[in-house]
Amino acid sequence: MDLRAELLKSIWYAFTALDVEKSGKVSKSQLKVLSHNLYTVLCIPHDPVALEEHFRDDDDGPVSSQGYMPYLNKYILDKVEEGAFVKENFDELCWTLTAKKNYKPDRNGNSVVSHQDAFKLWCLFNFLSEDKYPLVMVPDEVEYLLKKICTAMNVELNSCELDDYLSQELQGPGGLTVWQFLDMMNSGRFLRGIEQEAISMAVEEVYQEVIEDVLKQARSPHGYLWKKGQLRRNWSERWFMLKPSVLSYYMSEERKEKKGSITLDKHCCVEVLPDRDGKRCMFCVKTSSRTYEMSASDTRQRQEWTLAIQTAIRLQAEGKKSLHKDLKQKRREQREQREQRKAAKEEETQRLKQLQEEKERKLQELELLKEAQRQAEILLQEEEQRRRQQHEEMQRTLEIQLREAEQARASMQAEMVLKEAEAERQRKRILELEDMQERLQEALQQEVKARQDEESVRYAQARLLAEEEEKLKQLMKLKEEQEEYIIKTQREKQVLKQEMENKNKCLEEAQKQLEEVRVNRQRVDQDVMAAQRKLRQASTNVKHWNVQMNRLMHPIGPGDKRTNVSGGGFAGYQTLLSRRDSSLK
């Protein structure tokens, strides 16, 4: 398993923990915070410009894991260098994010494993899980991990009980999720009667062995080794820890003060030494530059350390960095081979089953063929017997038919005579039919002519209907125009009604004015009548005076001429008065 795959497993948990709605998408602000924290724990130089450029988009919606992967690969995973960061800090960051949402220990504090142990079990689960998402651990790896934890506590795992539990929990061919695994550990089902401290020590030992690649480390109180100095050549008690590439030693098991380390490669070797200088159970590690002498507490410890150091040297010679990665790959290959053998066995069983079914089918077909042959023989015998009976019946039938034919011949001769008479009648009937046919043809021609006339009438009727339809369309158009005109007329009527109301108002005002004029006219008429009375009185007076004047003037007139002159002057005066009266009227 390469470093990128290990990091991706932990990041996957962090990403899914941020997916609150379980939609497969996380908000951009949360991804920015996650990316910033990954930069910090992986000791990668921060690149805020690239971060903002990648997430700068008009769409403010969440981002899926597929959308985040290009940035994660390009700006984070491609820049990670192995050994440049503390992987435990990286795992703790991802564990903190995912445990807050998914890990639910016993609220009463009765959990078998502590929170720190749960973190280490989570790391072990990630290491042993399959490289497929969502991450699961197959039953074989679950059993392997539980056995290592139980071995570290010197207890035996109940495999039957584990198989029963897994058969109940697993619903498919996959495996356990990490949360199912932690629930199983917290249930105490496989760790009954064991104190939490012992479980923590066992988990720590397995964690160091599997995750930190510690092939072997000293166990207190008997696990310290004595090491011979290079300069002073004195013996000092040291606490050793072996990894595939280095054997480190410290002042104590707390590993606070490191005193030195021995770099291992393929050219190193380990040898057992005889007892001397008061030291027993001695062995040495030879490198290309120096030989390191050490003494164990007993023979068993010396054997364990020499075998572990030889294993580390073998890994270096094979170019492998981790024993458990190699063991995991071998177990995976064994599982694949087992699955392949199982599949091949099932395939072979299926093939044998098919062959057996084919054999049984062929035997059945053979039995059917035999039965069909027996049936065919029976049918053949029955057919032969039936054919013989039919031949005999046919012979008897032919004899009967021969006698009937002779009788029929005699009857046919008599019938021929009748037929000839009938044929004569038929010839006459044919002549009558031919005559009838001619009349029918004439009637048919008349009918054809009538049909042609009918067609012409129908054509004319169709033309009239078309014209009627055209006129109907025109009528509808006129109706629409009339409706429009009516609407327009109604509108004009409303306008005219408004104008009429206005004119009525004006008419009322004019009537009022007319009444006033009539009153004035009556007053004027009264004045005119008074004036006329005065005029008539004046005219009477004038006439009276004219008479008096005429009477006075007549005796002294010179004659007719003067009279005419006087009369002409009075007539002119009257004309003048009449004009004035007419003007007054």
Side-chain angles (χ1 to χ4, degrees):
M1 184 193 311
D2 59 356
L3 180 61
R4 179 185 293 263
E6 292 180 8
L7 298 179
L8 274 176
K9 286 184 176 182
S10 299
I11 294 174
W12 178 78
Y13 279 109
F15 185 91
T16 53
L18 296 176
D19 181 15
V20 180
E21 297 180 356
K22 296 182 179 181
S23 60
K25 295 183 179 180
V26 178
S27 65
K28 292 181 179 179
S29 59
Q30 290 178 316
L31 288 180
K32 289 179 182 179
V33 175
L34 175 62
S35 302
H36 190 276
N37 290 328
L38 291 177
Y39 274 122
T40 302
V41 297
L42 293 174
C43 301
I44 301 173
H46 289 238
D47 193 355
V49 176
L51 185 65
E52 295 296 332
E53 285 291 331
H54 182 79
F55 289 109
R56 187 176 65 185
D57 194 353
D58 295 335
D59 182 14
D60 295 330
V63 179
S64 64
S65 58
Q66 290 81 6
Y68 183 58
M69 281 303 296
Y71 173 81
L72 183 64
N73 287 322
K74 182 177 181 181
Y75 294 101
I76 297 179
L77 297 181
D78 289 346
K79 297 180 181 180
V80 174
E81 295 181 2
E82 189 169 4
F85 67 97
V86 180
K87 183 158 187 309
E88 186 174 358
N89 296 337
F90 167 79
D91 289 333
E92 282 183 354
L93 169 65
C94 298
W95 163 253
T96 303
L97 290 173
T98 187
K100 188 175 181 181
K101 176 184 176 183
N102 299 303
Y103 181 52
K104 297 180 177 61
D106 191 346
R107 295 182 179 180
N108 298 324
N110 298 325
S111 299
V112 175
V113 295
S114 64
H115 191 79
Q116 186 65 22
D117 294 338
F119 161 68
K120 292 175 182 178
L121 289 172
W122 177 77
C123 294
L124 290 167
F125 181 93
N126 288 346
F127 180 84
L128 297 174
S129 63
E130 297 299 301
D131 298 333
K132 298 176 183 179
Y133 296 91
L135 296 174
V136 294
M137 186 159 58
V138 296
D140 291 346
E141 295 296 321
V142 174
E143 184 178 3
Y144 172 78
L145 179 56
L146 289 177
K147 281 184 177 179
K148 288 199 71 68
I149 295 173
C150 291
T151 301
M153 296 185 294
N154 294 322
V155 297
E156 186 177 357
L157 176 67
N158 190 341
S159 300
C160 296
E161 188 175 2
L162 176 62
D163 293 338
D164 294 340
Y165 178 84
L166 293 176
S167 63
Q168 294 174 3
E169 290 293 325
L170 297 181
Q171 301 297 328
L176 287 179
T177 64
V178 66
W179 312 119
Q180 291 175 325
F181 176 71
L182 291 176
D183 290 342
M184 179 186 71
M185 296 296 294
N186 276 321
S187 67
R189 186 168 181 174
F190 305 102
L191 303 173
R192 297 188 184 94
I194 303 175
E195 296 182 357
Q196 188 176 15
E197 184 178 357
I199 296 174
S200 297
M201 292 177 62
V203 171
E204 174 67 21
E205 182 179 340
V206 176
Y207 176 81
Q208 289 183 359
E209 179 182 349
V210 177
I211 303 300
E212 297 182 357
D213 288 326
V214 177
L215 297 180
K216 184 170 179 56
Q217 59 182 339
R219 294 183 181 180
S220 59
H222 310 292
Y224 284 87
L225 299 178
W226 290 88
K227 173 184 169 297
K228 188 175 184 179
Q230 182 180 7
L231 300 177
R232 298 173 60 186
R233 309 299 291 174
N234 60 330
W235 289 88
S236 303
E237 191 177 28
R238 297 287 182 259
W239 192 84
F240 280 80
M241 184 174 68
L242 175 64
K243 290 188 176 182
S245 60
V246 63
L247 176 63
S248 303
Y249 48 94
Y250 302 83
M251 284 292 295
S252 63
E253 58 185 309
E254 286 80 12
R255 293 186 292 176
K256 294 181 179 179
E257 184 180 354
K258 185 176 181 180
K259 301 300 293 182
S261 60
I262 304 172
T263 303
L264 302 177
D265 55 27
K266 62 181 179 180
H267 303 292
C268 298
C269 66
V270 59
E271 295 180 357
V272 176
L273 300 177
D275 299 341
R276 66 170 183 267
D277 298 335
K279 296 296 178 183
R280 50 192 292 273
C281 302
M282 293 179 60
F283 66 95
C284 68
V285 177
K286 293 183 178 180
T287 66
S288 57
S289 59
R290 181 183 166 186
T291 299
Y292 297 87
E293 295 182 6
M294 284 160 279
S295 172
S297 59
D298 53 35
T299 306
R300 180 182 175 185
Q301 287 291 326
R302 179 177 66 179
Q303 184 178 4
E304 290 179 357
W305 276 103
T306 54
L307 290 175
I309 295 171
Q310 288 174 354
T311 301
I313 295 172
R314 177 178 58 80
L315 290 174
Q316 293 297 315
E318 294 175 355
K320 298 175 181 177
K321 297 181 180 180
S322 173
L323 173 63
H324 283 279
K325 289 179 181 178
D326 183 42
L327 294 176
K328 178 188 174 183
Q329 185 63 30
K330 288 181 179 179
R331 290 196 303 274
R332 181 175 295 177
E333 291 174 357
Q334 290 175 358
R335 283 198 304 272
E336 291 176 354
Q337 292 174 0
R338 190 164 61 248
E339 291 295 330
Q340 290 176 358
R341 288 195 298 270
K342 183 178 179 181
K345 186 177 180 180
E346 290 179 354
E347 185 179 355
E348 182 68 18
T349 304
Q350 189 68 22
R351 191 174 63 82
L352 290 175
K353 184 177 179 181
Q354 291 177 355
L355 290 174
Q356 183 67 22
E357 291 176 353
E358 183 70 18
K359 181 179 179 181
E360 291 177 356
R361 186 175 60 81
K362 288 184 177 180
L363 289 174
Q364 291 176 358
E365 290 179 355
L366 183 60
E367 291 294 331
L368 291 174
L369 288 174
K370 290 180 178 179
E371 182 65 24
Q373 185 176 3
R374 288 195 296 270
Q375 294 291 334
E377 290 176 354
I378 295 171
L379 291 174
L380 185 61
Q381 294 174 0
E382 292 177 353
E383 183 68 22
E384 182 68 23
Q385 186 178 359
R386 188 174 63 254
R387 201 166 41 246
R388 192 178 298 110
Q389 292 175 355
Q390 288 178 353
H391 180 71
E392 293 175 355
E393 291 177 358
M394 189 178 295
Q395 187 174 1
R396 288 194 296 271
T397 303
L398 287 175
E399 293 176 354
I400 294 170
Q401 288 178 353
L402 182 60
R403 288 194 297 270
E404 291 176 351
E406 291 177 352
Q407 295 174 0
R409 181 180 178 184
S411 61
M412 285 180 66
Q413 289 178 353
E415 190 176 353
M416 283 293 293
V417 176
L418 298 174
K419 291 289 185 181
E420 289 178 356
E422 183 67 24
E424 185 64 27
R425 288 194 300 271
Q426 290 293 334
R427 279 194 294 272
K428 292 179 180 180
R429 180 63 177 168
I430 288 171
L431 293 175
E432 293 175 357
L433 290 174
E434 289 177 352
D435 185 28
M436 187 179 294
Q437 183 180 5
E438 291 177 358
R439 290 198 300 271
L440 287 173
Q441 287 179 352
E442 292 177 358
L444 182 61
Q445 290 176 358
Q446 292 176 0
E447 184 179 0
V448 169
K449 185 177 180 182
R451 286 185 179 276
Q452 290 176 353
D453 295 339
E454 184 181 359
E455 289 293 330
S456 61
V457 170
R458 286 183 180 176
Y459 176 75
Q461 185 179 5
R463 181 171 55 78
L464 290 174
L465 288 174
E467 293 176 357
E468 183 179 356
E469 185 176 359
E470 185 66 27
K471 288 180 180 180
L472 183 59
K473 289 181 180 179
Q474 293 176 1
L475 180 60
M476 294 299 291
K477 185 175 182 182
L478 289 174
K479 187 177 180 181
E480 292 176 358
E481 292 176 355
Q482 185 179 5
E483 290 177 354
E484 293 176 357
Y485 180 73
I486 289 171
I487 295 171
K488 183 177 180 183
T489 305
Q490 289 177 352
R491 292 177 182 171
E492 292 177 353
K493 185 178 179 181
Q494 291 178 356
V495 174
L496 289 174
K497 186 177 180 180
Q498 187 68 27
E499 292 178 355
M500 187 177 292
E501 290 177 356
N502 296 333
K503 287 183 179 181
N504 286 335
K505 291 180 181 179
C506 295
L507 181 59
E508 290 175 359
E509 294 177 358
Q511 285 178 353
K512 291 179 181 179
Q513 294 176 0
L514 181 59
E515 290 295 331
E516 292 176 358
V517 171
R518 284 178 180 175
V519 173
N520 293 331
R521 181 178 176 184
Q522 289 176 1
R523 193 166 50 248
V524 171
D525 287 343
Q526 292 175 0
D527 294 339
V528 170
M529 289 175 67
Q532 285 178 354
R533 284 194 301 270
K534 290 179 181 180
L535 183 61
R536 283 194 297 272
Q537 186 177 0
S539 298
T540 304
N541 293 333
V542 170
K543 288 179 180 180
H544 175 70
W545 286 106
N546 283 334
V547 171
Q548 290 297 327
M549 285 179 65
N550 287 330
R551 187 182 299 149
L552 292 173
M553 291 175 67
H554 183 70
I556 63 174
D560 294 332
K561 184 177 180 181
R562 190 169 180 84
T563 303
N564 292 335
V565 173
S566 298
F570 184 76
Y573 180 74
Q574 288 183 341
T575 304
L576 180 62
L577 289 176
S578 64
R579 289 180 179 175
R580 189 184 66 178
D581 293 336
S582 64
S583 65
L584 289 173
K585 292 178 179 180

